[in-house]
Amino acid sequence: MIPAPFDYAAPATLDEAISLLEQHGDEAKILAGGHSLIPMMKLRFASPEFLIDINNIPGLSYIREEDGYLKIGALTRESDLEHSDIVRNKFPIFTDATKLIADPQVRNMGTVGGNIAHGDAANDHPAVMLALRAEVVATGPGGQRSIPIDEFFYGFYMTALQPSEILTEIRIPIPSASTGNAYHKLERKVGDYATAGVAVQLTLDGSGTCQEIGIGLTNVNPTPLRATRSEDVLRGQKITDELIAQAAKFASEDCSPSSDLRGDEAYKRSMVGVLVKRMIHKALERAR
Amino acid sequence: MKKQITITINGEQHAVEVEPRTLLVHLIREQLSMTGTHIGCDTSSCGACTILLDGKSIKSCTVLAIQADGKSVQTVEGLAAPGEMHPIQEGFKECHGLQCGFCTPGMMMRAVELLEHNPNPTEEEIRWGISGNLCRCTGYNNIVRAIQYAGAKMQGKETPSTEPTFV
């Protein structure tokens, strides 16, 4: 399978890339890792007339702690995130998630920014970023702006990014010490999209009360979904098995999975409940 | 509209013209006639087209040739000089790591990067490490042993038994 013809540029600076976007508008697509875009182009689900390859732009791949945030450059490969020491120590949720994203070769190309900018509820980082209450930095002709993750996903393949903006960074607030986070997705085989996936981050205070919690769901809704009612059940409470069961029930009710080859709707709702329970327990263990 | 690119494959520089839509695997196989890299699923699932791009294993059916402009590629043909064997090739030969052989070049290129990062992988680490490569003959047990053999050989250690295992 070969994509439809297109024209191609690999600018050396972000400014050039943005002016190409301004010039070509909707006809252009950004090429980062390409492991969502190129398969779609090969299947002719997408036929952009112009590809702007951002891989030659220096300074878009990094993982660093700065100003109270973990900052991840948009062009950071999944494999870099998978093997990062900062991540392994403070954000084990990314170690959980990256090893379940596709396979090693795809992770060598696929980027964190692309996983989010693609706007696909089946991708794994969106739910993780919801749990971590991340911000997405978009750079356009007017400079940078920061978009809270809750305002980023509009619909299927639709995001808050404007046609001339490029996702350049993801910022994750560094939480206080008594914080745990975890992610798991149920997948039929390596490389499959999630049947259901759940990301949880929670912070406890000195008395063991849940101060803050974030729960994100993968591939069980048209957009990546925050399980708001489940979070509300646990926030400000001492976490008990009864409350966890209630949070799991709410998440399974509030999502909206579609029946497909991975399972019917009822099965997926049930799996969301199971995974919410397991991920809360795992995050609790890591917080203590 | 064709574009000129320069790509180093197995140490040799090639200046070629490609359409932007040309896939890297098609450049390697069809324009440069190196057919050791296979095309299996053509959907980045099976790993038969795995090569090293600047030392990292990638699936060349899902990368554009033009993305490799100025970069270095290693294919199975570049593992060893003619008549010689790279330890990973020796491992696959000695441990019966191949049956039909279709997945083998991709398996070996993936194994080369895996062993570079982790010279002594456990069975579980190897199985995760080759999780992006499918063997339709299901010969995974011997592939795992072939990779362990190569790991030992590359470090100058005693190689494990080459007797096939049956489970």
Side-chain angles (χ1 to χ4, degrees):
Chain A
M1 296 181 291
I2 300 166
F6 56 86
D7 204 354
Y8 168 97
T13 68
L14 201 53
D15 285 348
E16 262 180 87
I18 291 164
S19 64
L20 282 169
L21 270 180
E22 285 187 284
Q23 206 179 313
H24 294 277
D26 280 348
E27 313 294 335
K29 288 291 280 181
I30 295 289
L31 176 64
H35 275 53
S36 297
L37 180 60
I38 292 174
M40 288 176 74
M41 290 170 65
K42 287 172 70 175
L43 293 164
R44 311 276 172 123
F45 290 155
S47 303
E49 288 177 12
F50 202 94
L51 279 196
I52 303 167
D53 183 346
I54 59 171
N55 287 278
N56 289 352
I57 301 174
L60 287 177
S61 174
Y62 51 85
I63 302 167
R64 60 176 175 245
E65 291 178 79
E66 198 174 72
D67 310 328
Y69 289 97
L70 177 75
K71 296 183 175 178
I72 304 175
L75 211 53
T76 303
R77 311 285 160 183
E78 301 292 357
S79 55
D80 293 332
L81 196 60
E82 189 181 2
H83 298 117
S84 150
D85 288 334
I86 303 178
V87 161
R88 200 171 306 131
N89 296 334
K90 293 202 175 159
F91 291 93
I93 191 169
F94 283 126
T95 313
D96 296 343
T98 46
K99 72 178 186 193
L100 295 173
I101 293 173
D103 60 53
Q105 290 96 311
V106 174
R107 293 198 288 275
N108 273 342
M109 287 298 291
T111 65
V112 182
N115 193 286
I116 294 168
H118 193 49
D120 188 348
N123 281 355
D124 299 282
H125 282 303
V128 171
M129 298 305 173
L130 282 168
L132 301 181
R133 297 186 190 279
E135 295 165 25
V136 171
V137 176
T139 306
Q144 282 191 354
R145 67 185 178 114
S146 175
I147 308 162
I149 194 72
D150 285 273
E151 295 165 21
F152 188 73
F153 300 107
Y154 278 19
F156 192 54
Y157 296 148
M158 282 162 60
T159 69
L161 286 176
Q162 296 301 305
S164 54
E165 282 182 324
I166 300 176
L167 194 166
T168 46
E169 186 179 79
I170 301 104
R171 290 181 185 162
I172 296 146
I174 294 176
S176 62
S178 301
T179 295
N181 48 46
Y183 180 74
H184 190 66
K185 76 169 169 186
L186 179 65
E187 57 178 358
R188 296 174 302 175
K189 55 176 275 293
V190 163
D192 194 16
Y193 290 113
T195 303
V198 173
V200 171
Q201 175 167 276
L202 51 83
T203 301
L204 304 175
D205 68 12
S207 69
T209 300
C210 174
Q211 271 187 323
E212 190 46 85
I213 181 159
I215 303 176
L217 310 180
T218 299
N219 211 14
V220 287
N221 199 66
T223 52
L225 186 67
R226 178 180 296 287
T228 307
R229 275 207 300 164
S230 309
E231 294 174 353
D232 292 345
V233 166
L234 297 166
R235 191 180 294 108
Q237 305 291 324
K238 281 221 173 0
I239 295 179
T240 61
D241 284 348
E242 288 71 32
L243 288 179
I244 293 175
Q246 188 62 47
K249 181 169 173 285
F250 281 161
S252 66
E253 288 172 3
D254 294 349
C255 63
S256 154
S258 44
S259 297
D260 59 22
L261 289 171
R262 297 183 185 86
D264 61 24
E265 184 192 328
Y267 171 69
K268 291 184 179 183
R269 285 188 190 280
S270 170
M271 290 304 103
V272 166
V274 169
L275 289 173
V276 165
K277 280 187 203 167
R278 287 188 191 170
M279 291 308 102
I280 292 173
H281 280 294
K282 200 165 176 183
L284 271 173
E285 272 170 41
R286 287 174 174 175
R288 284 172 180 147
Chain B
M1 194 193 318
K2 289 198 171 183
K3 305 215 178 202
Q4 177 90 20
I5 64 168
T6 306
I7 177 170
T8 302
I9 304 187
N10 302 326
E12 194 182 325
Q13 210 178 67
H14 299 264
V16 286
E17 282 202 333
V18 294
E19 275 190 81
R21 62 175 175 162
T22 303
L23 300 169
L24 182 53
V25 70
H26 290 142
L27 168 69
I28 294 168
R29 287 180 54 87
E30 290 165 24
Q31 270 176 264
L32 300 173
S33 304
M34 282 182 260
T35 53
T37 303
H38 293 168
I39 301 175
C41 68
D42 201 13
T43 57
S44 73
S45 301
C46 79
C49 65
T50 300
I51 59 160
L52 301 184
L53 181 63
D54 280 349
K56 285 185 168 185
S57 56
I58 57 103
K59 295 183 170 179
S60 60
C61 75
T62 308
V63 174
L64 304 170
I66 202 165
Q67 288 180 274
D69 187 17
K71 293 193 161 67
S72 170
V73 162
Q74 195 184 4
T75 68
V76 68
E77 289 94 339
L79 281 179
E84 290 174 23
M85 271 194 288
H86 184 280
I88 192 70
Q89 293 171 308
E90 186 181 318
F92 271 73
K93 174 174 176 277
E94 293 298 326
C95 300
H96 308 276
L98 63 153
Q99 291 173 45
C100 83
F102 196 86
C103 73
T104 313
M107 283 281 184
M108 292 198 299
M109 298 316 289
R110 173 62 202 139
V112 166
E113 194 203 2
L114 171 66
L115 289 172
E116 191 187 304
H117 292 299
N118 182 359
N120 293 301
T122 63
E123 175 176 345
E124 195 191 347
E125 286 166 343
I126 293 175
R127 286 183 186 270
W128 269 107
I130 59 167
S131 60
N133 296 74
L134 300 179
C135 169
R136 283 304 302 268
C137 308
T138 70
Y140 294 103
N141 284 346
N142 289 339
I143 291 171
V144 169
R145 290 182 333 105
I147 295 171
Q148 283 170 329
Y149 178 104
K153 179 93 183 178
M154 287 162 84
Q155 296 174 86
K157 291 184 180 169
E158 192 181 334
T159 50
S161 159
T162 57
E163 285 302 306
T165 50
F166 300 98
V167 177

